[in-house]
């Protein structure tokens, strides 16, 4: 994991993040409430972008990203945490 991912910085991510927030009209896709544009980074209502699936598989493709509040993003958590374990396809 690069330092830019850990800190949330980087020009490519900034462009994707802005695109997703604009596409979703600054409305949280979890609670459907407006996201304040000027909320400080540590504010529970701060704008964030959530990966709906494994970033390892989807990267930063906007098709797999949604605008959310910081609080909502923390409640949702890591989408890969709920991925089912691989299992055999059948008993035959």
């Amino acid at each position: 994991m690069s330092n830019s991912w850990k800190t949330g910085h980087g020009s490519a991510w900034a462009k994707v993040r802005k695109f997703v927030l604009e596409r979703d009209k600054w409305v949280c896709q979890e609670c459907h409430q407006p996201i304040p544009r000027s909320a400080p980074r540590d504010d529970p209502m701060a704008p964030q972008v959530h990966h709906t699936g494994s970033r390892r598989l989807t990267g930063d493709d906007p098709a797999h990203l949604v605008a959310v509040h910081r609080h909502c993003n923390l409640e949702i958590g890591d989408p890969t945490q709920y991925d089912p374990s691989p299992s055999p396809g059948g008993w035959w």
Side-chain angles (χ1 to χ4, degrees):
M1 184 181 300
S2 72
N3 285 337
S4 63
W5 174 248
K6 290 177 188 174
T7 61
H9 298 286
S11 62
W13 173 249
K15 289 176 186 175
V16 170
R17 180 181 182 275
K18 181 179 177 185
F19 172 82
V20 172
L21 289 164
E22 293 292 329
R23 179 199 66 200
D24 292 346
K25 299 180 182 351
W26 291 82
V27 172
C28 178
Q29 300 303 296
E30 181 68 13
C31 73
H32 309 290
Q33 298 300 311
I35 300 171
R37 294 173 188 247
S38 60
R41 174 182 253 165
D42 60 345
D43 187 304
M45 300 299 281
Q48 291 192 350
V49 173
H50 175 72
H51 288 80
T52 59
S54 171
R55 182 172 183 256
R56 183 174 40 97
L57 299 175
T58 63
D60 292 333
D61 180 347
H64 302 281
L65 300 171
V66 293
V68 292
H69 294 112
R70 179 177 184 267
H71 170 76
C72 293
N73 199 17
L74 292 172
E75 279 193 9
I76 297 167
D78 181 357
T80 62
Q81 177 181 5
Y82 306 105
D83 285 349
S85 301
S87 60
W91 54 271
W92 58 94

